Amino acid sequence: MSGLNDVLDKLSERSKASLSELIEFASIPSVSAQPDHKPDMERAAQWLSTRLKRAGLKTVELWPTAGHAAVYAEYLEAGEDAPTLLVYGHYDVQPPDPLEKWHTPPFTPTVKDERLYGRGVSDDKGPLLLTVQVVDAYLSTLGKLPLNLKFLFEGEEEVGSAHLNELVAQNAERLRADFVLSADGGMWSADIPSLTVSARGLAALELTVRGPTKDLHSGRHGGSVHNPLHALATLIAGLHDESGHVTVSGFYDGIAELTPQQREGIRQLPFTDEDYLTQTGAPAVYGESGYSTLERQWHRPTLEVNGMWGGYTGEGSKTVLPSEAHAKITCRLVPGQEPGRIAELLKQHLEAKLPPGVTLNIHPSEHGARAYRLPDAHPGGALAREVLAELYGKPPLDVGMGGSIPVLETFQSVLGLDTVFFSFSVGDEDIHAPNEFFRIPRLSEGQQAWAQLWWKLGHQEKR
Amino acid sequence: MSGLNDVLDKLSERSKASLSELIEFASIPSVSAQPDHKPDMERAAQWLSTRLKRAGLKTVELWPTAGHAAVYAEYLEAGEDAPTLLVYGHYDVQPPDPLEKWHTPPFTPTVKDERLYGRGVSDDKGPLLLTVQVVDAYLSTLGKLPLNLKFLFEGEEEVGSAHLNELVAQNAERLRADFVLSADGGMWSADIPSLTVSARGLAALELTVRGPTKDLHSGRHGGSVHNPLHALATLIAGLHDESGHVTVSGFYDGIAELTPQQREGIRQLPFTDEDYLTQTGAPAVYGESGYSTLERQWHRPTLEVNGMWGGYTGEGSKTVLPSEAHAKITCRLVPGQEPGRIAELLKQHLEAKLPPGVTLNIHPSEHGARAYRLPDAHPGGALAREVLAELYGKPPLDVGMGGSIPVLETFQSVLGLDTVFFSFSVGDEDIHAPNEFFRIPRLSEGQQAWAQLWWKLGHQEKR
């Protein structure tokens, strides 16, 4: 283990530099959803390529797509007998809105109380960057890595990884590996080590309700034509019943009920609704009746409106009866639900429930993903549990993930690979919200863990 | 009548200059609802004062309020035996949003096909300005007016005339008159002369539904805390039943049913739902069951959402479960409904219907007005009908107005004065909407009508 210790010492020695690099990386506003950030996306991909090369990787490539490019790099010098890992992460970030709620500028990463605040620091630039820093430490101390590595860092995760399927299929041969180790995903809690073994899938659509062809004066016309805002509210309100069940016919078809074992496992987790409400600030938990909070988050499908708008939303008042009203909807899926079918069922439901006096336009999103579950006996999962247990002094919990990583589906269906989540972000770090942060000590912890996992994987008994 | 003809000739001669002046006036973005337009409001008040002075009026004053100032001017040289009119109008305009729907810039008034396009040209800068131009024509040809005139042009009509009540009360003595002639209001149709004899009242409030204290990731948290957008949709959807009736308890209390005469009068008007749908572009009429379109617009109270928003409303997608959701609501009222009581009933209703898992904040607006009706035998109304009949060659129709002019209530309750609507804008001129326009020939028609009405009023048999 003397070789590994040298690597770990090097990482300790470089801890300040590691943080500075993350600050630099997270200063680039690589917002994949907004076309005016296209140059920033290119800048971020370039920055990452340069960093991979500086780490000592000889093969670093930009893989263009119809959207944003992916960054690919490889180290194959461990030889054919050594295991090969595919490391996944993403360099794009969520839009920073609402800007006025940030305490520090989202793209001026700011250190405060052992945390780094900024958009993307936790999701996923911190967890991604530390894997590159571990490569650098290995190559600059030992001159080699104990296993083969392939890095695939995409630029479209926050917009549904629309082109990744195609890209992975085109490069299936080059991406061959034993399994995927994902730098994206996040741990469940800051205090308790955990391994995420499942993720929900995703189906999304946007709808527009139209009434009059132009905005009308609500005094003159109010009460004589249908107001698209009223019609939209009726449609949205009708998507759930009073027990929190989704009313879309067929939505729950093909879903397995939770097993007594699953329910018991969740019951034993150190989780209380009180703590959860303290963490989120919500006045009460709320959801589908018959399920606990974690059961709802990990094992039940949901339908959420992510945005809804129409009419006058500025200061003061404007007595308008608007021409249009809009909503963005995403569903989180569990095993048994097909994203395309769910979007279609939702479309049919909305069309059938449309009130009179308005028309409806539905734009299904390319944003879709099946739910995922890591097999219980997966060897990568076992190794990850071992590393975490050593690092934190207690065995990690198996947890689910309410969110989605569409790429899991891609790796499984196109490459036949399972994915082990090994991210060092934490679920409470306000990702997708104002004041996203990353716990600075996690940068070192993550580096150590990745260094150890690679060492173990490269030095285990030959399979 | 030779004096009057000189005035009319002068107005004809100046018709181009009149239009140029309106373009200049309407270029000032006097948006009362938006604080950053405060300097423009001051500029518009100053412009109007200067124009009144240039018309030959010696007494022109700015009357400050806690909000935007009113412009006051008077001509009392007709003497104590002559009648005295109070002329009302407003120089503030609606916000121009949504900007992207304008074909020409809202504050660059543009002539096209006998129409002038721009924010405020119809509501109320054109109709207001022409009254000043008539004064100018009288004084520059005859050196005098046949009656006493007081002008009160306010700057807060589009934000509910919040300070006008106080201002009028403070200046009640100076504002004494026989009745009010309003340059605001609008005619019912471009083809048929009409006199507006009633207006609906107004009650308004804004609501905020709050869930978690910060935006959450809808994947991680969706389905386990209540989404404020869902709760808002439920509240809004519940405000009407399937027959289009407002469900707020007590909302319809104290309202008189339409009389058979009112219904018969409306039935005889040259109005069809088909034409109305062509005009508005709505796919169907819609509203409270048991009433025709014009009955709904003129004689039934309504509740309309003017704006609704929350979550991510930008391009692309952002899987957020937002912390807040908002809506702006206005009710149009009919005689028998008190604005304050309606706002309170609505507040109680929303609080009682609030779904669990969220909190509610309600901000009632100062924007409030009782409904109004001009007495059938009012002498000002009779004179206005006479002038319109001569100008257009057919007797005007008595029509209602779906919108509200809060100041009517002020003039009645504080000064004891009735108001005759004598505006030359038309109800289809997209006021409060993109591409507001004013029919350019109406500028001359309005000038002639005001000149004639003043002449008749000043030369009629002594009362």
Side-chain angles (χ1 to χ4, degrees), chain B residues 60-384:
Chain B
V60 179
E61 301 170 14
L62 279 185
W63 286 0
T65 74
H68 302 293
V71 178
Y72 174 78
E74 65 186 22
Y75 175 89
L76 302 180
E77 295 155 45
E80 286 195 4
D81 288 348
T84 302
L85 259 192
L86 175 56
V87 175
Y88 168 78
H90 64 91
Y91 68 88
D92 63 325
V93 304
Q94 281 276 314
D97 317 63
L99 281 173
E100 69 279 9
K101 297 238 170 147
W102 283 80
H103 302 313
T104 56
F107 297 108
T108 306
T110 306
V111 174
K112 201 184 153 193
D113 302 335
E114 297 277 279
R115 294 170 170 194
L116 181 65
Y117 288 85
R119 171 56 83 226
V121 290
S122 170
D123 180 20
D124 177 41
K125 285 179 172 171
L128 176 162
L129 180 61
L130 70 85
T131 70
V132 183
Q133 292 167 334
V134 174
V135 173
D136 195 329
Y138 263 102
L139 296 180
S140 64
T141 52
L142 310 181
K144 63 178 185 179
L145 281 148
L147 78 177
N148 299 308
L149 290 175
K150 300 176 176 182
F151 293 87
L152 184 62
F153 296 140
E154 68 157 323
E156 297 191 296
E157 200 277 336
E158 300 295 3
V159 288
S161 302
H163 302 101
L164 199 76
N165 219 61
E166 195 185 333
L167 195 75
V168 169
Q170 281 163 357
N171 297 281
E173 196 50 39
R174 289 191 75 185
L175 292 170
R176 248 187 338 163
D178 294 304
F179 64 93
V180 179
L181 198 62
S182 173
D184 192 25
M187 277 204 221
W188 183 62
S189 139
D191 307 322
I192 306 147
S194 62
L195 193 71
T196 304
V197 295
S198 67
R200 288 196 289 192
L202 185 72
L205 57 76
E206 190 167 326
L207 61 148
T208 300
V209 175
R210 289 199 175 86
T213 44
K214 53 193 175 185
D215 288 359
L216 300 178
H217 186 292
S218 71
R220 248 171 246 274
H221 299 278
S224 57
V225 297
H226 206 162
N227 184 327
L229 293 170
H230 299 189
L232 179 66
T234 301
L235 281 177
I236 300 298
L239 289 169
H240 292 86
D241 66 17
E242 289 187 2
S243 310
H245 295 285
V246 174
T247 56
V248 175
S249 174
F251 187 78
Y252 296 101
D253 288 359
I255 297 176
E257 252 316 320
L258 276 87
T259 63
Q261 292 75 8
Q262 283 177 312
R263 304 196 102 161
E264 187 50 34
I266 284 176
R267 248 195 302 278
Q268 291 186 0
L269 290 173
F271 175 93
T272 68
D273 281 348
E274 288 66 32
D275 290 349
Y276 179 64
L277 293 178
T278 304
Q279 182 202 329
T280 58
V285 297
Y286 182 87
E288 198 184 3
S289 67
Y291 299 93
S292 73
T293 298
L294 289 182
E295 288 170 358
R296 288 168 176 163
Q297 287 184 2
W298 296 349
H299 297 291
R300 296 297 298 174
T302 62
L303 185 159
E304 294 291 325
V305 178
N306 302 120
M308 183 165 79
W309 70 103
Y312 183 67
T313 61
E315 215 165 336
S317 82
K318 183 164 186 287
T319 50
V320 67
L321 192 166
S323 168
E324 295 183 356
H326 309 265
K328 292 175 192 272
I329 295 177
T330 50
C331 297
R332 297 291 164 167
L333 310 181
V334 299
Q337 291 179 303
E338 279 298 316
R341 183 167 167 277
I342 293 295
E344 182 57 32
L345 290 174
L346 179 51
K347 184 167 180 280
Q348 285 169 11
H349 174 98
L350 291 168
E351 282 165 352
K353 299 288 181 185
L354 186 70
V358 290
T359 60
L360 177 64
N361 227 297
I362 293 179
H363 325 268
S365 164
E366 295 169 18
H367 216 117
R370 283 202 198 96
Y372 176 80
R373 188 165 173 85
L374 181 73
D376 287 345
H378 190 277
L383 215 51

Side-chain angles (χ1 to χ4, degrees), chain A residues 94 200 213 215 219 221 223-224 227 230 276 280 286 297 304-306 308 310 312 314 316 318-320 328 402 433, chain B residues 94 200 213 215 217 219 221 223-224 227 230 276 280 286 297 304-306 308 310 312 314 316 318 320 328 402 432-433:
Chain A
Q94 281 277 315
R200 289 195 288 193
T213 45
D215 287 358
H221 299 279
S224 57
N227 184 328
H230 300 189
Y276 179 64
T280 59
Y286 182 88
Q297 287 183 1
E304 295 291 325
V305 178
N306 302 120
M308 183 166 81
Y312 183 67
K318 182 164 187 288
T319 50
V320 66
K328 291 176 194 272
Chain B
Q94 281 276 314
R200 288 196 289 192
T213 44
D215 288 359
H217 186 292
H221 299 278
S224 57
N227 184 327
H230 299 189
Y276 179 64
T280 58
Y286 182 87
Q297 287 184 2
E304 294 291 325
V305 178
N306 302 120
M308 183 165 79
Y312 183 67
K318 183 164 186 287
V320 67
K328 292 175 192 272
H432 296 211

Side-chain angles (χ1 to χ4, degrees), chain A residues 190-254:
Chain A
D191 306 323
I192 306 147
S194 61
L195 192 72
T196 304
V197 295
S198 68
R200 289 195 288 193
L202 185 72
L205 56 75
E206 189 168 325
L207 60 147
T208 300
V209 175
R210 290 198 174 85
T213 45
K214 53 194 174 184
D215 287 358
L216 300 177
H217 186 292
S218 71
R220 247 171 246 274
H221 299 279
S224 57
V225 296
H226 206 161
N227 184 328
L229 292 171
H230 300 189
L232 179 65
T234 300
L235 282 177
I236 300 298
L239 289 170
H240 293 87
D241 67 15
E242 289 188 1
S243 309
H245 295 286
V246 174
T247 57
V248 175
S249 173
F251 187 78
Y252 295 101
D253 288 359

Side-chain angles (χ1 to χ4, degrees), chain A residues 174-185:
Chain A
R174 288 192 74 188
L175 291 170
R176 242 179 354 154
D178 294 303
F179 63 93
V180 179
L181 197 62
S182 173
D184 192 25

